[in-house]
Amino acid sequence: MSPALPDTFAQKALTASLSLALRLILFDGCLSECRSAQTWGLITSTADKMVVWTDFERSTIQDIFSKMDYEVVGPAALTRCLIVYPWTQRYFGNFGNLYNAAAIMGNPMVAKHGTTILHGLDRGVKNMDDLKTTYAELSVLHSEKLHVDPDNFKLLSDCLTIVVAAQLGKAFTAEVQAAFQKFLAVVVSSLGRQYH
Amino acid sequence: MSLNAKDKDAVKAFWAKVSGKAGDIGSDALSRMLTVYPQTKTYFAHWKDMSAGSDPVVKHGKAVMGGVAEAINKIDDLNAGLLNLSELHAFTLRVDPANFKILSHNILVVMAILFPKDFTPEVHVAMDKFLGALSRALAEKYR
Protein backbone atom coordinates (compact mmCIF):
# COMPACT_ATOMS: atom_id res chain seq x y z
CA MET A 1 0.00 0.00 0.00
CA SER A 2 2.86 2.43 0.73
CA PRO A 3 4.48 4.05 -2.34
CA ALA A 4 7.94 2.79 -3.32
CA LEU A 5 10.65 4.96 -1.77
CA PRO A 6 14.38 4.54 -2.14
CA ASP A 7 15.03 5.10 1.55
CA THR A 8 13.67 2.24 3.77
CA PHE A 9 13.60 4.46 6.86
CA ALA A 10 11.36 6.99 5.10
CA GLN A 11 9.24 4.07 3.84
CA LYS A 12 8.74 2.78 7.38
CA ALA A 13 7.97 6.27 8.68
CA LEU A 14 5.37 6.79 5.97
CA THR A 15 3.72 3.43 6.64
CA ALA A 16 3.69 4.16 10.36
CA SER A 17 2.13 7.57 9.94
CA LEU A 18 -0.49 6.26 7.46
CA SER A 19 -1.36 3.50 9.88
CA LEU A 20 -1.62 6.01 12.70
CA ALA A 21 -3.81 8.30 10.61
CA LEU A 22 -6.10 5.37 9.80
CA ARG A 23 -6.27 4.39 13.45
CA LEU A 24 -7.12 7.97 14.46
CA ILE A 25 -9.95 8.08 11.93
CA LEU A 26 -11.35 4.75 13.18
CA PHE A 27 -10.80 5.85 16.79
CA ASP A 28 -12.75 9.04 16.20
CA GLY A 29 -15.57 7.00 14.66
CA CYS A 30 -15.59 4.69 17.68
CA LEU A 31 -15.55 7.62 20.10
CA SER A 32 -18.66 9.15 18.64
CA GLU A 33 -20.50 5.90 19.37
CA CYS A 34 -19.01 5.66 22.78
CA ARG A 35 -21.71 6.12 25.35
CA SER A 36 -20.09 5.03 28.54
CA ALA A 37 -16.90 5.75 30.36
CA GLN A 38 -16.11 2.05 30.53
CA THR A 39 -16.22 1.58 26.79
CA TRP A 40 -13.95 4.65 26.54
CA GLY A 41 -11.38 2.83 28.60
CA LEU A 42 -11.87 -0.27 26.51
CA ILE A 43 -11.53 1.43 23.15
CA THR A 44 -8.47 3.43 24.11
CA SER A 45 -6.78 0.29 25.34
CA THR A 46 -7.63 -1.99 22.43
CA ALA A 47 -6.44 -0.53 19.17
CA ASP A 48 -6.74 -4.00 17.57
CA LYS A 49 -9.30 -6.73 18.14
CA MET A 50 -8.60 -8.59 21.38
CA VAL A 51 -9.21 -7.34 24.89
CA VAL A 52 -5.98 -7.57 26.82
CA TRP A 53 -6.26 -8.77 30.41
CA THR A 54 -3.48 -8.23 32.92
CA ASP A 55 -2.64 -11.04 35.34
CA PHE A 56 -4.13 -8.96 38.13
CA GLU A 57 -7.40 -8.53 36.23
CA ARG A 58 -7.66 -12.23 35.40
CA SER A 59 -6.99 -13.40 38.93
CA THR A 60 -9.28 -10.74 40.41
CA ILE A 61 -12.21 -11.82 38.24
CA GLN A 62 -11.62 -15.53 38.88
CA ASP A 63 -11.31 -14.84 42.58
CA ILE A 64 -14.47 -12.75 42.90
CA PHE A 65 -16.64 -15.23 41.02
CA SER A 66 -15.20 -18.34 42.65
CA LYS A 67 -16.12 -16.98 46.09
CA MET A 68 -19.52 -15.65 45.03
CA ASP A 69 -22.82 -17.24 46.02
CA TYR A 70 -24.70 -16.92 42.74
CA GLU A 71 -28.00 -17.58 44.46
CA VAL A 72 -27.55 -14.58 46.72
CA VAL A 73 -25.78 -12.12 44.44
CA GLY A 74 -27.87 -12.81 41.32
CA PRO A 75 -31.25 -12.15 42.92
CA ALA A 76 -29.85 -9.18 44.87
CA ALA A 77 -28.52 -7.54 41.70
CA LEU A 78 -31.67 -8.11 39.64
CA THR A 79 -34.05 -6.97 42.39
CA ARG A 80 -31.93 -3.88 42.93
CA CYS A 81 -32.04 -3.14 39.19
CA LEU A 82 -35.85 -3.51 39.06
CA ILE A 83 -36.20 -1.18 42.07
CA VAL A 84 -33.59 1.45 41.23
CA TYR A 85 -34.45 1.55 37.50
CA PRO A 86 -38.14 0.67 37.49
CA TRP A 87 -38.47 0.94 33.71
CA THR A 88 -36.47 -2.28 33.47
CA GLN A 89 -39.60 -4.02 34.75
CA ARG A 90 -40.95 -3.76 31.20
CA TYR A 91 -39.21 -7.03 30.37
CA PHE A 92 -40.80 -8.98 33.19
CA GLY A 93 -44.51 -8.54 32.54
CA ASN A 94 -45.19 -12.21 33.22
CA PHE A 95 -43.28 -12.32 36.52
CA GLY A 96 -46.33 -11.52 38.62
CA ASN A 97 -46.23 -9.03 41.47
CA LEU A 98 -43.62 -6.30 41.00
CA TYR A 99 -45.71 -3.51 42.50
CA ASN A 100 -43.29 -2.37 45.17
CA ALA A 101 -39.82 -3.04 46.52
CA ALA A 102 -41.04 -5.63 49.02
CA ALA A 103 -42.93 -7.52 46.32
CA ILE A 104 -39.91 -7.49 44.02
CA MET A 105 -37.59 -8.68 46.75
CA GLY A 106 -39.95 -11.52 47.64
CA ASN A 107 -40.70 -12.59 44.07
CA PRO A 108 -39.41 -16.12 43.38
CA MET A 109 -39.36 -15.68 39.59
CA VAL A 110 -37.11 -12.64 39.98
CA ALA A 111 -34.82 -14.58 42.28
CA LYS A 112 -34.60 -17.48 39.86
CA HIS A 113 -33.86 -15.21 36.96
CA GLY A 114 -31.19 -13.37 38.92
CA THR A 115 -29.41 -16.66 39.45
CA THR A 116 -29.76 -17.51 35.73
CA ILE A 117 -28.11 -14.22 34.82
CA LEU A 118 -25.16 -14.89 37.12
CA HIS A 119 -24.67 -18.31 35.55
CA GLY A 120 -24.62 -16.52 32.21
CA LEU A 121 -21.82 -14.30 33.52
CA ASP A 122 -20.02 -17.40 34.69
CA ARG A 123 -19.63 -18.43 31.06
CA GLY A 124 -17.71 -15.24 30.47
CA VAL A 125 -15.52 -15.80 33.52
CA LYS A 126 -14.51 -19.15 32.03
CA ASN A 127 -13.84 -17.67 28.56
CA MET A 128 -12.29 -14.30 29.20
CA ASP A 129 -10.21 -14.46 26.06
CA ASP A 130 -13.11 -14.81 23.70
CA LEU A 131 -16.12 -13.05 25.13
CA LYS A 132 -17.34 -12.02 21.69
CA THR A 133 -17.91 -15.61 20.59
CA THR A 134 -19.06 -16.71 24.04
CA TYR A 135 -21.93 -14.23 24.03
CA ALA A 136 -22.81 -14.19 20.32
CA GLU A 137 -25.78 -16.48 20.76
CA LEU A 138 -27.06 -14.71 23.87
CA SER A 139 -26.67 -11.41 22.05
CA VAL A 140 -28.91 -12.63 19.24
CA LEU A 141 -31.42 -13.92 21.80
CA HIS A 142 -31.58 -10.59 23.67
CA SER A 143 -31.92 -8.69 20.41
CA GLU A 144 -34.18 -10.84 18.23
CA LYS A 145 -36.31 -12.65 20.74
CA LEU A 146 -36.30 -10.67 23.98
CA HIS A 147 -35.97 -7.22 22.38
CA VAL A 148 -34.01 -5.83 25.32
CA ASP A 149 -32.58 -2.32 24.92
CA PRO A 150 -28.83 -2.85 25.40
CA ASP A 151 -28.68 0.18 27.69
CA ASN A 152 -30.26 -2.07 30.29
CA PHE A 153 -27.16 -4.25 30.40
CA LYS A 154 -25.23 -1.29 31.77
CA LEU A 155 -27.90 -0.60 34.38
CA LEU A 156 -27.75 -4.19 35.61
CA SER A 157 -23.92 -4.03 35.62
CA ASP A 158 -24.00 -0.99 37.85
CA CYS A 159 -26.32 -2.73 40.30
CA LEU A 160 -24.16 -5.85 40.27
CA THR A 161 -21.09 -3.71 41.00
CA ILE A 162 -22.82 -2.18 43.99
CA VAL A 163 -23.99 -5.55 45.33
CA VAL A 164 -20.50 -7.03 45.02
CA ALA A 165 -19.01 -3.89 46.61
CA ALA A 166 -21.33 -4.27 49.60
CA GLN A 167 -20.38 -7.96 49.91
CA LEU A 168 -16.62 -7.49 49.66
CA GLY A 169 -16.39 -4.28 51.66
CA LYS A 170 -12.87 -2.87 51.94
CA ALA A 171 -11.55 -5.76 49.81
CA PHE A 172 -13.33 -4.12 46.87
CA THR A 173 -10.45 -1.71 46.33
CA ALA A 174 -10.30 0.81 43.47
CA GLU A 175 -8.08 -1.59 41.49
CA VAL A 176 -10.46 -4.50 42.06
CA GLN A 177 -13.38 -2.26 41.08
CA ALA A 178 -11.57 -1.27 37.87
CA ALA A 179 -11.00 -4.93 36.94
CA PHE A 180 -14.58 -5.90 37.76
CA GLN A 181 -16.08 -3.00 35.82
CA LYS A 182 -13.79 -3.69 32.86
CA PHE A 183 -14.95 -7.33 32.77
CA LEU A 184 -18.61 -6.29 32.92
CA ALA A 185 -18.04 -3.65 30.23
CA VAL A 186 -16.63 -6.25 27.84
CA VAL A 187 -19.51 -8.63 28.56
CA VAL A 188 -22.00 -5.80 28.00
CA SER A 189 -20.28 -4.89 24.76
CA SER A 190 -20.36 -8.54 23.58
CA LEU A 191 -24.03 -8.83 24.43
CA GLY A 192 -24.77 -5.76 22.34
CA ARG A 193 -22.73 -6.85 19.35
CA GLN A 194 -25.35 -8.80 17.40
CA TYR A 195 -27.98 -6.06 17.52
CA HIS A 196 -28.84 -4.53 14.17
CA MET B 1 -37.50 12.08 37.40
CA SER B 2 -37.79 14.74 40.08
CA LEU B 3 -37.52 14.10 43.80
CA ASN B 4 -40.77 13.40 45.59
CA ALA B 5 -41.35 13.74 49.33
CA LYS B 6 -40.48 10.09 49.94
CA ASP B 7 -37.15 10.46 48.13
CA LYS B 8 -36.25 13.59 50.09
CA ASP B 9 -37.05 11.90 53.40
CA ALA B 10 -35.00 8.85 52.46
CA VAL B 11 -32.04 11.01 51.42
CA LYS B 12 -32.13 13.07 54.60
CA ALA B 13 -32.50 10.00 56.82
CA PHE B 14 -29.60 8.22 55.15
CA TRP B 15 -27.45 11.37 55.24
CA ALA B 16 -28.04 11.65 58.98
CA LYS B 17 -26.49 8.20 59.33
CA VAL B 18 -23.52 8.73 57.01
CA SER B 19 -22.60 12.42 57.24
CA GLY B 20 -20.08 11.69 59.99
CA LYS B 21 -18.01 9.86 57.39
CA ALA B 22 -18.59 12.40 54.61
CA GLY B 23 -14.90 13.20 54.21
CA ASP B 24 -13.96 9.53 53.91
CA ILE B 25 -16.76 8.92 51.44
CA GLY B 26 -15.62 11.84 49.31
CA SER B 27 -11.96 10.96 49.18
CA ASP B 28 -12.60 7.24 48.55
CA ALA B 29 -15.11 8.05 45.79
CA LEU B 30 -12.63 10.46 44.23
CA SER B 31 -9.72 7.97 44.26
CA ARG B 32 -11.92 5.28 42.82
CA MET B 33 -12.98 7.62 40.05
CA LEU B 34 -9.37 8.47 39.22
CA THR B 35 -8.43 4.78 39.14
CA VAL B 36 -11.48 3.25 37.45
CA TYR B 37 -12.04 6.09 34.97
CA PRO B 38 -8.53 7.34 34.21
CA GLN B 39 -9.75 9.99 31.78
CA THR B 40 -10.96 11.94 34.83
CA LYS B 41 -7.34 12.49 35.85
CA THR B 42 -7.10 15.10 33.12
CA TYR B 43 -8.82 17.56 35.45
CA PHE B 44 -6.19 17.14 38.14
CA ALA B 45 -2.94 17.37 36.20
CA HIS B 46 -1.91 20.16 38.58
CA TRP B 47 -1.85 17.79 41.58
CA LYS B 48 1.53 16.46 42.59
CA ASP B 49 0.01 13.31 44.00
CA MET B 50 -3.17 11.56 42.86
CA SER B 51 -2.82 8.42 44.93
CA ALA B 52 -5.47 7.28 47.41
CA GLY B 53 -5.05 8.99 50.77
CA SER B 54 -2.83 11.76 49.39
CA ASP B 55 -3.37 15.33 50.62
CA PRO B 56 -5.01 16.76 47.48
CA VAL B 57 -7.37 13.78 47.19
CA VAL B 58 -8.41 13.92 50.87
CA LYS B 59 -8.87 17.67 50.78
CA HIS B 60 -10.83 17.65 47.55
CA GLY B 61 -12.97 14.71 48.68
CA LYS B 62 -14.04 16.80 51.69
CA ALA B 63 -14.79 19.78 49.43
CA VAL B 64 -16.97 17.70 47.14
CA MET B 65 -18.95 16.23 50.02
CA GLY B 66 -19.35 19.72 51.45
CA GLY B 67 -21.14 20.50 48.20
CA VAL B 68 -23.31 17.40 48.62
CA ALA B 69 -24.21 18.47 52.18
CA GLU B 70 -25.14 21.92 50.93
CA ALA B 71 -27.32 20.36 48.25
CA ILE B 72 -29.14 18.29 50.87
CA ASN B 73 -29.90 21.47 52.82
CA LYS B 74 -31.23 23.07 49.66
CA ILE B 75 -32.96 19.92 48.44
CA ASP B 76 -36.24 21.77 47.83
CA ASP B 77 -34.69 24.08 45.26
CA LEU B 78 -31.45 22.69 43.94
CA ASN B 79 -31.13 25.07 41.00
CA ALA B 80 -31.25 28.15 43.22
CA GLY B 81 -29.27 26.51 45.99
CA LEU B 82 -26.42 25.38 43.75
CA LEU B 83 -26.26 28.48 41.55
CA ASN B 84 -22.78 29.54 42.66
CA LEU B 85 -21.39 26.03 42.33
CA SER B 86 -22.94 25.71 38.90
CA GLU B 87 -21.31 28.94 37.79
CA LEU B 88 -17.99 27.75 39.17
CA HIS B 89 -18.17 24.45 37.27
CA ALA B 90 -19.48 26.07 34.10
CA PHE B 91 -17.19 29.05 33.73
CA THR B 92 -14.09 28.33 35.74
CA LEU B 93 -13.64 24.59 36.11
CA ARG B 94 -15.41 23.63 32.89
CA VAL B 95 -15.79 20.00 33.89
CA ASP B 96 -17.65 18.01 31.25
CA PRO B 97 -21.00 17.20 32.89
CA ALA B 98 -20.69 13.56 31.82
CA ASN B 99 -18.23 13.27 34.68
CA PHE B 100 -20.88 14.11 37.29
CA LYS B 101 -22.50 10.77 36.55
CA ILE B 102 -19.16 9.01 36.94
CA LEU B 103 -18.44 10.56 40.33
CA SER B 104 -22.02 9.91 41.45
CA HIS B 105 -21.63 6.21 40.63
CA ASN B 106 -18.47 6.04 42.72
CA ILE B 107 -20.14 7.82 45.63
CA LEU B 108 -22.86 5.14 45.54
CA VAL B 109 -20.24 2.35 45.44
CA VAL B 110 -18.50 3.78 48.53
CA MET B 111 -21.82 4.12 50.35
CA ALA B 112 -22.55 0.46 49.60
CA ILE B 113 -19.13 -0.53 50.94
CA LEU B 114 -19.30 1.53 54.13
CA PHE B 115 -23.00 1.03 54.92
CA PRO B 116 -23.98 -2.33 53.40
CA LYS B 117 -26.97 -2.85 55.66
CA ASP B 118 -28.33 0.69 55.36
CA PHE B 119 -27.80 1.09 51.62
CA THR B 120 -30.93 -0.84 50.75
CA PRO B 121 -32.44 -0.75 47.24
CA GLU B 122 -34.92 1.91 48.45
CA VAL B 123 -32.12 4.12 49.77
CA HIS B 124 -30.11 3.42 46.61
CA VAL B 125 -32.88 4.66 44.30
CA ALA B 126 -33.42 7.80 46.40
CA MET B 127 -29.70 8.61 46.49
CA ASP B 128 -29.30 7.89 42.77
CA LYS B 129 -32.19 10.25 41.99
CA PHE B 130 -30.78 12.87 44.34
CA LEU B 131 -27.29 12.76 42.84
CA GLY B 132 -28.87 12.94 39.38
CA ALA B 133 -30.84 16.03 40.39
CA LEU B 134 -27.72 17.52 41.96
CA SER B 135 -25.77 16.89 38.74
CA ARG B 136 -28.48 18.54 36.65
CA ALA B 137 -28.48 21.59 38.93
CA LEU B 138 -24.68 21.72 38.70
CA ALA B 139 -24.88 21.71 34.90
CA GLU B 140 -27.60 24.36 34.85
CA LYS B 141 -25.34 27.30 33.97
CA TYR B 142 -23.25 25.56 31.31
CA ARG B 143 -25.09 26.91 28.29
Side-chain angles (χ1 to χ4, degrees):
Chain A
M1 194 176 129
S2 51
L5 284 174
D7 185 329
T8 52
F9 174 80
Q11 203 169 6
K12 281 179 188 164
L14 185 63
T15 314
S17 55
L18 279 174
S19 150
L20 177 63
L22 193 59
R23 283 175 176 213
L24 283 172
I25 292 166
L26 289 170
F27 181 69
D28 193 49
C30 286
L31 272 187
S32 63
E33 284 168 35
C34 185
R35 283 182 289 172
S36 78
Q38 286 125 333
T39 35
W40 161 277
L42 219 51
I43 287 165
T44 51
S45 68
T46 59
D48 287 36
K49 306 104 199 160
M50 290 279 293
V51 176
V52 179
W53 301 102
T54 63
D55 289 341
F56 173 80
E57 286 166 348
R58 267 181 217 279
S59 60
T60 297
I61 298 303
Q62 299 304 320
D63 196 53
I64 291 178
F65 280 85
S66 69
K67 295 185 174 136
M68 196 191 285
D69 185 346
Y70 289 12
E71 279 166 29
V72 167
V73 172
L78 184 58
T79 55
R80 198 167 275 259
C81 188
L82 295 171
I83 293 167
V84 177
Y85 308 108
W87 53 93
T88 57
Q89 292 169 26
R90 76 189 302 284
Y91 301 108
F92 302 99
N94 62 334
F95 270 35
N97 188 357
L98 298 177
Y99 297 135
N100 52 41
I104 293 170
M105 289 193 280
N107 186 315
M109 290 181 81
V110 172
K112 182 159 176 276
H113 196 65
T115 308
T116 302
I117 292 173
L118 255 287
H119 283 294
L121 273 177
D122 190 63
R123 260 194 253 180
V125 175
K126 297 187 160 65
N127 289 288
M128 282 174 72
D129 288 315
D130 196 3
L131 290 169
K132 266 189 294 195
T133 313
T134 303
Y135 286 112
E137 222 180 281
L138 274 172
S139 179
V140 172
L141 175 79
H142 282 76
S143 163
E144 308 287 300
K145 189 151 180 283
L146 304 175
H147 307 292
V148 177
D149 180 338
D151 253 6
N152 292 279
F153 305 148
K154 173 137 200 325
L155 299 180
L156 182 60
S157 292
D158 284 350
C159 287
L160 182 59
T161 300
I162 283 179
V163 168
V164 169
Q167 290 246 314
L168 296 182
K170 290 263 145 74
F172 196 67
T173 62
E175 291 76 13
V176 168
Q177 182 182 343
F180 191 70
Q181 290 195 202
K182 177 176 167 179
F183 173 71
L184 289 182
V186 183
V187 171
V188 162
S189 165
S190 309
L191 271 176
R193 264 189 119 243
Q194 306 301 328
Y195 279 66
H196 64 92
Chain B
M1 291 195 264
S2 48
L3 298 168
N4 58 36
K6 189 169 152 231
D7 296 320
K8 293 180 189 178
D9 287 343
V11 168
K12 288 182 195 166
F14 185 65
W15 185 251
K17 287 184 191 157
V18 314
S19 56
K21 293 215 169 147
D24 292 336
I25 294 173
S27 80
D28 193 5
L30 201 59
S31 358
R32 276 167 198 278
M33 182 185 79
L34 296 168
T35 303
V36 182
Y37 303 87
Q39 70 273 21
T40 57
K41 290 193 290 191
T42 54
Y43 291 99
F44 303 101
H46 55 285
W47 283 359
K48 286 191 189 65
D49 186 358
M50 277 196 233
S51 56
S54 67
D55 280 345
V57 171
V58 168
K59 186 159 167 261
H60 197 61
K62 281 201 180 105
V64 167
M65 293 313 277
V68 171
E70 203 186 313
I72 291 183
N73 282 338
K74 312 265 172 77
I75 202 170
D76 291 321
D77 191 350
L78 285 170
N79 280 350
L82 296 179
L83 185 66
N84 290 338
L85 278 172
S86 182
E87 287 183 349
L88 175 73
H89 285 74
F91 304 132
T92 309
L93 303 175
R94 288 183 285 201
V95 175
D96 190 318
N99 295 289
F100 301 155
K101 200 165 197 294
I102 295 175
L103 183 56
S104 297
H105 168 72
N106 285 293
I107 290 173
L108 295 176
V109 168
V110 174
M111 286 177 168
I113 289 173
L114 293 177
F115 305 96
K117 294 263 156 14
D118 295 302
F119 197 66
T120 60
E122 293 93 327
V123 169
H124 179 168
V125 60
M127 281 306 304
D128 192 33
K129 283 178 78 173
F130 167 68
L131 290 173
L134 196 167
S135 301
R136 281 192 298 279
L138 215 50
E140 184 57 29
K141 288 290 167 195
Y142 271 64
R143 55 176 176 175

